[in-house]
Amino acid sequence: MTASTSGAVPTRKRRRRTNLRQNVAGWLFVGPFGIVFLALLVLPIGYALYLSLFQKTLMTGTTFAGFDNYLKAFDDPSFLKGLWFVLRFSLVLIPIQMAISLAIALILDTVTSKFARFSRLMIFLPYAIPTVIGALMWGFLYSRNFGPIADVFGAFGAAGPDFLSNNLIFYGLLNVVTWQWAGYYMIILYAALQGIDPTLYEAARIDGASGWQIITKIKIRLLTPALVLILVFALIGTLQFFNEPKILQQLAAGAIPDDFTPNMYAYQQAFTLANPNYSSTISFALGAVVFLCVYIFMFATRKRGNFLS
């Protein structure tokens, strides 16, 4: 009995030393990422949250404001106008992006040739182009002074559409963002299609299903998780709309004001008006709206199980 107990003690010690070495090795692997994560994400967010709770004026200096800045933000016409724009933009943009990327993915999944591989690369290429370069390129194409679109219409004696005007800037930006992201979403859907078991198609054909029924009843149904993922990505990205309107602002001749979107308004407050406290408040207010929209969507789809049914 004594010998058995004395043999168990070294075994427990060896097990503890092994677990300790494994834990140390794990922390050594995770540590560098953790340091970068804390330094470049957690600390800046924490500091921005701290700034959002204060306000600075010439008369009183920096004072603690609590949630007054947030109450001010949700009563600020500039912030609310920008928020309303990105919500309207999302409602139009996201269905168009999803329909285009889904249609292209289904076509490329059906066509198996070298042309399909080349087409896949060409459709994905706009995503590989930096957003700034893409926006500048579209600014050149849209220009009524030297753009090719104006030249084509001019050759027929007509005036081309001014996509940088107040009336058409919505559609001009819609085209730019769709062109930029449709290829990326197409790749996600195409990869999901490649993961579907081909025997499902064979069984459906044996049962007499047509090509259209295979697409609608099998492929699109099984793509639901990927479509949900795309919708969440698109919703988050569109509500934080910034790069394209900011780049085209100089070319749009007043069609894109500084409070065009909430992020542009936050940028103006921070770098033009030197008001980092209110800029931080706007950023967190926008983050709360994004979180709320995504949560509502995820909750609704979870309750129904499938947002296509």
Side-chain angles (χ1 to χ4, degrees), residues 298-309:
M298 297 298 290
F299 183 79
T301 54
R302 182 182 64 85
K303 293 285 285 185
R304 295 178 59 183
N306 186 340
F307 77 102
L308 294 175
S309 62

Side-chain angles (χ1 to χ4, degrees), residues 224-251:
T224 300
L227 290 170
V228 171
L229 178 70
I230 288 174
L231 203 154
V232 172
F233 282 173
L235 185 62
I236 294 173
T238 309
L239 291 177
Q240 301 182 65
F241 200 28
F242 178 78
N243 289 338
E244 291 84 355
K246 188 62 183 174
I247 296 300
L248 292 176
Q249 187 181 29
Q250 302 300 322
L251 305 173

Side-chain angles (χ1 to χ4, degrees), residues 153-300:
F153 277 85
F156 295 96
D162 186 1
F163 287 108
L164 298 177
S165 65
N166 285 313
N167 294 331
L168 296 181
I169 189 64
F170 184 94
Y171 304 101
L173 289 170
L174 197 69
N175 175 58
V176 174
V177 181
T178 301
W179 174 85
Q180 184 86 33
W181 289 93
Y184 174 69
Y185 297 146
M186 178 273 296
I187 288 293
I188 294 176
L189 293 174
Y190 181 78
L193 282 169
Q194 297 301 300
I196 298 175
D197 188 352
T199 58
L200 291 175
Y201 307 147
E202 296 175 11
R205 291 191 189 95
I206 292 173
D207 290 340
S210 64
W212 178 251
Q213 287 175 320
I214 291 175
I215 290 175
T216 55
K217 303 296 184 183
I218 298 178
K219 290 186 177 181
I220 294 180
R221 292 280 175 183
L222 295 178
L223 281 179
T224 300
L227 290 170
V228 171
L229 178 70
I230 288 174
L231 203 154
V232 172
F233 282 173
L235 185 62
I236 294 173
T238 309
L239 291 177
Q240 301 182 65
F241 200 28
F242 178 78
N243 289 338
E244 291 84 355
K246 188 62 183 174
I247 296 300
L248 292 176
Q249 187 181 29
Q250 302 300 322
L251 305 173
I256 303 178
D258 286 334
D259 57 354
F260 192 64
T261 69
N263 268 343
M264 289 183 65
Y265 187 43
Y267 180 90
Q268 181 210 25
Q269 290 291 326
F271 300 105
T272 304
L273 304 179
N275 189 3
N277 301 99
Y278 193 50
S279 173
S280 301
T281 303
I282 292 171
S283 300
F284 275 95
L286 175 63
V289 173
V290 172
F291 175 81
L292 183 64
C293 290
V294 172
Y295 179 80
I296 291 173
F297 172 75
M298 297 298 290
F299 183 79

Side-chain angles (χ1 to χ4, degrees), residues 1-9:
M1 184 67 180
T2 305
S4 174
T5 303
S6 60
V9 172

Side-chain angles (χ1 to χ4, degrees), residues 20-136:
L20 179 62
R21 283 197 296 269
Q22 289 177 345
N23 289 335
V24 170
W27 281 110
L28 286 176
F29 278 109
V30 175
F33 167 77
I35 293 171
V36 174
F37 182 76
L38 286 173
L40 300 183
L41 186 66
V42 176
L43 289 178
I45 289 178
Y47 183 62
L49 179 62
Y50 170 79
L51 288 178
S52 71
L53 300 176
F54 290 83
Q55 61 183 3
K56 183 178 181 180
T57 63
L58 291 176
M59 295 293 294
T60 61
T62 302
T63 56
F64 181 73
F67 290 100
D68 288 350
N69 285 338
Y70 290 92
L71 296 176
K72 176 184 173 183
F74 283 103
D75 195 37
D76 187 337
S78 295
F79 175 69
L80 295 178
K81 187 183 71 173
L83 194 60
W84 174 234
F85 173 80
V86 292
L87 286 173
R88 287 190 294 122
F89 198 71
S90 300
L91 289 176
V92 178
L93 171 71
I94 294 174
I96 292 175
Q97 279 185 327
M98 293 184 68
I100 292 175
S101 55
L102 176 62
I104 297 173
L106 290 170
I107 291 172
L108 294 179
D109 182 61
T110 304
V111 179
T112 54
S113 65
K114 290 183 179 178
F115 178 73
R117 290 194 291 271
F118 176 75
S119 300
R120 198 163 59 237
L121 176 63
M122 289 297 103
I123 296 168
F124 179 74
L125 189 59
Y127 175 71
I129 297 175
T131 306
V132 174
I133 302 299
L136 288 173

